[in-house]
Amino acid sequence: MKTVKVLGPGCARCKALTEMVRQAALQAGVDIELEKIEDMAAIVSHGVMSTPGLVIDGKLVHSGSLPDAQKVVAWLLA
Amino acid sequence: MFTFPICREINEEPAMKPETSFFRTESSRSLRWALGVVGATVLWVAAYAHLIEFADAVLGLIGLERATPLGEAVHFFFYDTPKVMLLLTGIVFIMGVIQTFFSPERTRAILSGKRTGAGNVLAATLGIVTPFCSCSAVPLFIGFLSAGVPLGVTFSFLISAPMVNEVALVLLFGMFGWKVAALYLGLGLLVAIFAGLVIGQMRMERHLEDWVLAIQARSAEGHESAGMSWVERGQAGLGHIREIVTKVWPYVVAGIALGAGIHGYVPEDFMASFMGKDVWWAVPAAVVLGVPMYTNAAGIIPVVEALIGKGAALGTVLAFMMSVIALSAPEMIILRKALRPRLIATFAGVVALGILLVGYVFNAVL
C-alpha cells in the first residue's frame, strides 16, 4: 500500500493528474491510498512551487506539469 | 504568460503518449524529430508569406470588394486570423522548449540570496522565460520567500511573469514591428523592476498572512528539469502549443472580429479625439478601465491594432493593454490567500502607477 498525494488548488490539470494516478495504479496493480490536497499551506509545505505536484510515500516525485503516464507507473512500482 | 481566465490549466491537456513502439531507436527518433521540425518550419514560412493572397482569395470567393466597410472588415479578419495563429503557434512552441531550461525551482535557486537592485533586474528578466500560471502564484510566491528571495525581488518576478509574456511580444512584433515590441519589453521590465523596488523599500513583510510567515517550505529535490533530451524538450514545446493555443484561440478570433469591426466601420481618426496624444486624461482613463478587465494578450492585441489604426496614441493603448494583462481580479483573489489587503492594494497601486508613467513616456517620445 502506497500513500499518494496529488497537490493542487483544484485546477483542471490537478484533476487530470488524479485520474492519471488512479489509472496507473490499476495498470501497475499497486494498492494506493489516494489523497487530494487543496489547502495552500499544505501544498507549499511539500516544497511545491508549481502545481500540480505528486507525492508518493511522502516524497515529492513531480511538479509543474502532467507527467508521462509511463513514469507514473514506474514511480508507483518503485 | 501566460494566467487565463484564471489559469492555464483550465484546458486540461491529455498526457503525452509515449511512442516508444513507433520509434525503434533513440537516434531514429531524434532524426524524425529534426525532420519534423524542419518540415514544419518550411510550411510555416510558406504560409506566412502568402497571407495577403489568402485574404484576397477569401474575399473573392465571397464576392466582396475591399472598398466597402464590410469587405474591409472581412479582409482584416481573414488576413489577421491566420497571421496571428501562425505567429502564436511558432512562438509558443519555441517558448515551450526554452521553458524546459527554466523551472521555477531553478529560477528560485538563481534568485535566492540576491540583493535588492540587481535581484530585481534579474527577477524581472527571469519572469519572461520561467513558466508561470496564476493558479501557482501563491506556492511560487511562498517558495521564493522561504528560499530567502526578498519580498521586493519576488514581486518583480510576479509582475514581469504575466505582463512581459511571449504571446504579447510576438503579436506586437507581428503587427507593429520590432521597435514597438522592444519598447514593450523594455518598459514592461522597467515597470516590474520599479514596482518591486518600491514594494521592497516599503518593508511590507508584516502584511503577509500569518501562515505564510510561519511556513518553512522544504526545498524540493531537483527532479527532471535537468538532463532532458532534445526530443523531450520538443515534446514539451508541442505540449505547450496544445495547452496555450487550444485555450487562447477563441480569444484571438473574438479579438480579431472586434478589431475587424473597428477597422471596417469606425471612421478614420475617430479615436484620436479621445485616445489621441493631446488628451491628457486618456492614459489614466485607459489604466482605470484596464485594471478590472481581464483577457489575455492574444485577445487584446488585435483590438489594439485596430484602435491604433484609427488614430489612438500608442502610449495610451499600450497602457490599456498592460493594465489588462498585468493586473487582474482573478489573480488578486488568488493572492489574497497569502497577502493582506494592504499589500495587495499597494501591489496594484504601484504597478498601475508604473504603467501610467509608461503611457505618458510613450506618448511623449513617439
Side-chain angles (χ1 to χ4, degrees):
Chain A
M1 176 74 107
K2 286 190 188 293
T3 50
V4 180
K5 293 178 193 165
V6 174
L7 314 174
C11 40
R13 232 166 20 169
C14 316
K15 288 184 196 115
L17 180 60
T18 313
E19 195 44 46
M20 187 191 261
V21 169
R22 208 168 272 142
Q23 295 291 336
L26 279 179
Q27 196 189 329
V30 176
D31 240 5
I32 59 165
E33 190 189 302
L34 186 59
E35 195 185 347
K36 197 156 179 311
I37 306 223
E38 301 193 351
D39 177 53
M40 211 49 98
I43 292 173
V44 172
S45 69
H46 280 92
V48 167
M49 282 212 293
S50 46
T51 54
L54 183 61
V55 172
I56 296 178
D57 282 343
K59 188 171 176 292
L60 182 69
V61 292
H62 186 86
S63 72
S65 64
L66 277 180
D68 195 282
Q70 294 310 110
K71 279 189 183 161
V72 178
V73 173
W75 289 323
L76 288 174
L77 289 171
Chain B
M1 358 222 254
F2 290 57
T3 46
F4 334 105
I6 280 186
C7 166
R8 264 192 193 173
E9 298 170 31
I10 275 183
N11 282 292
E12 62 247 59
E13 136 220 20
M16 276 181 265
K17 302 236 159 49
E19 292 154 38
T20 36
S21 58
F22 198 68
F23 303 101
R24 248 174 261 132
T25 67
E26 197 56 33
S27 66
S28 80
R29 197 175 181 214
S30 303
L31 188 68
R32 291 184 89 102
W33 263 87
L35 289 176
V37 168
V38 171
T41 309
V42 170
L43 275 179
W44 192 96
V45 171
Y48 198 79
H50 292 91
L51 289 169
I52 293 197
E53 286 91 329
F54 174 74
D56 287 344
V58 171
L59 216 59
L61 276 178
I62 310 175
L64 283 169
E65 293 289 329
R66 274 193 78 172
T68 65
L70 180 63
E72 190 57 41
V74 170
H75 190 273
F76 182 94
F77 184 82
F78 282 101
Y79 173 73
D80 255 26
T81 308
K83 178 175 172 178
V84 169
M85 293 312 288
L86 276 173
L87 284 171
L88 197 62
T89 312
I91 198 69
V92 163
F93 177 77
I94 293 170
M95 279 308 294
V97 173
I98 292 179
Q99 285 181 355
T100 60
F101 293 94
F102 294 91
S103 67
E105 286 78 13
R106 188 158 183 200
T107 295
R108 173 173 72 174
I110 297 172
L111 289 178
S112 75
K114 287 286 180 302
R115 279 179 312 152
T116 312
N120 292 78
V121 176
L122 199 60
T125 313
L126 286 168
I128 306 171
V129 288
T130 308
F132 174 79
C133 156
S134 66
C135 56
S136 289
V138 169
L140 192 111
F141 185 84
I142 294 165
F144 275 27
L145 288 183
S146 65
V149 180
L151 186 65
V153 175
T154 304
F155 266 107
S156 280
F157 178 88
L158 218 56
I159 294 162
S160 146
M163 182 159 67
V164 187
N165 73 52
E166 72 267 24
V167 176
L169 276 179
V170 76
L171 293 182
L172 284 175
F173 169 76
M175 295 183 171
F176 307 111
W178 67 269
K179 279 186 196 157
V180 172
L183 266 174
Y184 184 81
L185 170 68
L187 293 172
L189 286 176
L190 220 59
V191 168
I193 294 165
F194 156 84
L197 281 174
V198 170
I199 292 170
Q201 279 301 313
M202 292 170 85
R203 315 216 167 281
M204 299 196 72
E205 281 79 358
R206 68 208 149 85
H207 293 290
L208 296 169
E209 289 292 346
D210 293 331
W211 69 269
V212 174
L213 294 172
I215 222 149
Q216 265 303 337
R218 266 188 268 159
S219 67
E221 302 97 81
H223 44 261
E224 298 184 37
S225 65
M228 282 172 94
S229 73
W230 278 102
V231 171
E232 282 174 310
R233 294 187 199 280
Q235 282 174 338
L238 286 186
H240 203 227
I241 290 182
R242 245 195 317 255
E243 196 178 322
I244 303 289
V245 176
T246 52
K247 179 188 50 182
V248 143
W249 76 263
Y251 291 85
V252 173
V253 174
I256 294 173
L258 184 58
I262 296 173
H263 192 73
Y265 289 96
V266 177
E268 290 293 323
D269 291 334
F270 172 74
M271 290 296 163
S273 57
F274 55 93
M275 281 183 93
K277 272 189 184 188
D278 309 324
V279 190
W280 68 266
W281 50 266
V283 178
V287 174
V288 168
L289 212 65
V291 170
M293 284 179 65
Y294 191 65
T295 176
N296 52 59
I300 194 91
I301 288 178
V303 181
V304 164
E305 183 187 21
L307 288 175
I308 287 177
K310 297 298 177 185
L314 193 57
T316 310
V317 174
L318 283 183
F320 175 66
M321 185 181 140
M322 279 183 164
S323 57
V324 170
I325 310 178
L327 293 169
S328 71
E331 192 184 356
M332 303 285 163
I333 292 166
I334 290 173
L335 284 176
R336 177 65 190 88
K337 287 180 184 163
L339 274 51
R340 297 231 169 98
R342 277 250 334 249
L343 185 48
I344 293 193
T346 309
F347 161 59
V350 171
V351 174
L353 189 72
I355 295 173
L356 203 64
L357 291 176
V358 164
Y360 279 124
V361 168
F362 239 101
N363 279 350
V365 170
L366 288 176

